[in-house]
Amino acid sequence: MSFPLSFRRNLLGLAFLLPTLAVAQTPTSAPTPASPTNDPQWYLLDPQQDGVMGVSARRAYQELLKDRVPTLVTVAIIDAGIDTAHVDLKRLLWKNTKETSGNKRDDDQNGYVDDVHGWSFLGGPDGRNVDIDTYEDTRVLAKLQPRFQGKARTSVPAAQRADYDLYVKVKKSYDEKLKENTQRLADMQKAYDENAQGISMLKQALNVTQLDTATLHHPPTQDPNLLRVTAGLYENLREAGYPSLDAVLAEIKEAVTDTKNQLDYSLNLKFDPRTVVQDHPDDVKERRYGNADLYGPDPSHGTHVAGIIGADRTNTVGIMGLSNNVQLMAVRAVPNGDERDKDVANAIRYAVDNGASIINMSFGKYYSPQRPAVEEAIRYAGSKGVLLVHSAGNESKNLDQTMQYPAPVFQNGQRIPNMLTVGASSRANDAGLAADFSNFGRHAVDVFAPGNQIYSTLPGSQYGNKSGTSMAAPVVSGIAAVLKSYFPTLTATQLKSIIMASATPVHTQVQQPGTNKTVDFRELSEAGGVVNLYRAVELARQQVAQ
C-alpha cells in the first residue's frame, strides 16, 4: 500500500509554506479561500444544499429513507487488514456464526481455522504475516531476467519471444520506478528535514508546543509578519482538512518511510517474503492457506476504508459511515507492495462463499500474470449476484490506454457486468474536481467519487484523512450497501446501473490528472459525473416500483 504519487506533491505544496522561519519576515501571498464547510465528512454533504461535491448521503437519509426499514448487508473489504477493536467498527463486524473463536479448530470445515470475522491470505500457520511485498514488475523481472538478460530478440527462439517481449516491457517499467523512487526519496527527505526545522522554529517564535488550527487561528503574538504566516497556514490547513502542521509533517514522514520501503523491498529483485505464508505461490488452485490475523502489521489503509463504508452511525463518537445496516467482513490480501493474483482470487471466493453482497477492492497493479484465476473468481462472484467495487489507481494514467488490474474487461474484451471502477474527485466543483492523482478513462473508468482528503477511521480508535482512489471506491461500496439494504431485490448489475445513471454528468472544465490540459470532466469516465446517493435512491425506488 502506498500514497498516491501526486498526493505526496500536495503534501509538499502545503508544507513548503514554512520551509524556514525566514518566511515570517516577508509578506505571504493571499491565503487559499476557506472551504465552504468545516465538516470533516464533507463527502456526505449535498452539492446544491451545502456547496461541496459530496454524495448527498445525509440528505438521502433525512428525506428519502427515514420511513423505510433496511435489511442487513454484508460488505467484504479485501485490503491490508482492519482494526477490529476500533470503537467505531467493532459492533459492525461480520460474524461467522458457525465458527468458535480461539479454539484453534475449523468448526465449519471450510478450510479456515478460527475465521470468526474474516481471513488473511497473507499469514502463515506460525502466526507471522507478510507486511511488505514486491511489485509485480519486480516479480516478473526476477523470473524472466535470468533467461533473457543481455540477449537480442533475434537470438531468442520463436516460442520464447512473447516472454522476451514481456521481459523488455517490464524491465523498462521497473527501471523507471527505480529511478523515480530514488529521486523521490531524496526529495521527500529534504522536504521533511526543511519543514521539521521550520515548524520547530515557528513553535519557538510563538512559544507554543503545537501548531494546530486553533493556535494558528489565534496565535499568541502581535507580530504582523507572524500573523500573516499563521493566517495563511490556518486557511490552508482548513482547506486541506489537516488538524495541524504536525499532522502534515507526520504524513511527509510516512511518505519517506513508504518510499524507502519501496526501494529496499518492493523493488528488490532478491526479496521474497512469501516463505512466511508457506503456500505454493504458482498453484492458483490452492486455497487453504493463511491465518486468522485480520489486524496484520499495518491495518491503517483497510481500517480507513472500513470506516467510510460503515462506521457506526448509532454511537455518539467519531464519524458516520455511509451505510447504517452493514456487516464488515475483513479479508486480508493486500500487502505494502503489489497484491498477488492468487490471493485476490481466493479473497473474492472467500467473500462470496461467506455471504458478501458487495466486495470493496481498493488496490490495483499493472501486470497480472495469473489473470485467468482472478477472472474466474470475478465470474464466480457474478454468478452469485455479488457486486465488486474497484479503485481506478493513483498514477494519473488514462486507463483507456494503459490496462490496470483487475481490469474492467475480461480477456475476451467483454465488459465485466458486476464490477465498478472508480476514480477520485475533490470537494470543490472547479478545475481541481478530478483529483490530480486519479487515474481516469472515458471507457475504462465507470464513475468518480470523493477520494481527496477523506476523513475516516484509523487504528487505535483514531481518525484522520487519507486520499486516493482507495478512498473513492468505499464511498461507492457504501452507496451500494445502502441501496442493497433498502432495496434488497436489486441485483449486482442493477446496482451498477443505478449508481452510474444517478451520477449526473458534470461539464466543469477541469485539469486532466497528470497534465496541464483542460478537459470537460464528463470525458474522464463512462458516467461522466460524481456518484450521488440521493439520486440513486430515487432511481432505486422507481426500479423496484416497476
Side-chain angles (χ1 to χ4, degrees), residues 99-116:
E99 196 78 13
T100 300
S101 178
N103 68 357
K104 298 183 179 180
R105 292 201 301 266
D106 183 11
D107 300 297
D108 59 1
Q109 297 296 303
N110 69 348
Y112 306 107
V113 176
D114 287 341
D115 62 323
V116 177

Side-chain angles (χ1 to χ4, degrees), residues 2-12 135 177 180-181 184 188 258-259 262 394-397 436-438:
S2 60
F3 283 108
L5 303 187
S6 45
F7 176 46
R8 296 193 184 99
R9 292 197 293 272
N10 290 343
L11 292 177
L12 297 181
Y135 289 130
K177 282 186 177 180
E180 184 180 344
N181 276 272
R184 185 182 305 117
M188 284 286 176
D258 179 72
T259 306
Q262 291 178 51
N394 305 317
E395 290 76 38
S396 311
K397 292 182 181 293
D436 69 344
F437 54 78
S438 181

Side-chain angles (χ1 to χ4, degrees), residues 26-83:
T26 57
T28 62
S29 58
T32 303
S35 167
T37 175
N38 292 327
D39 193 321
Q41 286 195 272
W42 65 268
Y43 52 95
L44 302 182
L45 302 181
D46 182 81
Q48 282 71 46
Q49 294 184 356
D50 303 303
V52 293
M53 294 299 286
V55 302
S56 306
R58 292 180 181 167
R59 184 183 174 200
Y61 277 112
Q62 292 166 359
E63 298 181 19
L64 302 179
L65 298 174
K66 60 182 180 179
D67 296 324
R68 301 185 75 101
V69 179
T71 58
L72 192 61
V73 172
T74 299
V75 178
I77 301 167
I78 300 177
D79 215 288
I82 292 177
D83 179 3

